[in-house]
Amino acid sequence: VSGWVKQARAGNYHLSVTTSPQPGDIVAYDWNGGNDFTGGHEHIGIVRSVSGSSFTAVEGNTGNPNGSNDGVYVKSRSTNSNYDVLFIRVR
């Protein structure tokens, strides 16, 4: 995750940070905050839909809605949470 964030912030490899997410963008999470996306508390997904400050993303290595069975699932998230979110656009 930190590699994706670093390259997007630098504008490398046709990546850029966006504040207007849309389906197909990459979303990076920094669960413990700090907006540094390092330290082993990160996660990544692909944006599926956006509505205001809420969005859904397809995420691997996550639990299904009832909290069991590690796999790939659609998760509902918000930018108004206690973790940091960064959206990455592939140009």
Side-chain angles (χ1 to χ4, degrees), residues 2 7 24 31 39 52-53 63 65 76:
S2 63
Q7 297 304 331
W31 296 131
S53 64
S76 295

Side-chain angles (χ1 to χ4, degrees), residues 6 15 27 46 55 58:
K6 179 180 177 181
L15 301 174
V27 57
I46 300 172
F55 62 94
V58 177

Side-chain angles (χ1 to χ4, degrees), residues 63-69 73 75:
N64 68 21
N66 69 16
S68 61
N69 300 328
Y73 297 98
K75 304 294 269 187

Side-chain angles (χ1 to χ4, degrees), residues 9-67:
R9 285 178 170 164
N12 295 330
Y13 304 106
H14 302 285
L15 301 174
S16 61
V17 174
T18 181
T19 56
S20 302
Q22 60 188 26
D25 286 344
I26 296 165
V27 57
Y29 306 96
D30 188 350
W31 296 131
N32 63 345
N35 207 30
D36 60 359
F37 295 88
T38 62
H41 300 283
E42 298 75 41
H43 189 62
I44 202 162
I46 300 172
V47 176
R48 185 173 179 195
S49 64
V50 180
S51 178
S53 64
S54 297
F55 62 94
T56 60
V58 177
E59 302 174 17
N61 194 29
T62 189
N64 68 21
N66 69 16

Side-chain angles (χ1 to χ4, degrees), residues 56-87:
T56 60
V58 177
E59 302 174 17
N61 194 29
T62 189
N64 68 21
N66 69 16
S68 61
N69 300 328
D70 194 32
V72 177
Y73 297 98
V74 175
K75 304 294 269 187
S76 295
R77 307 278 191 194
S78 173
T79 57
N80 296 331
S81 296
N82 59 352
Y83 49 84
D84 294 322
V85 177
L86 183 111
F87 295 101

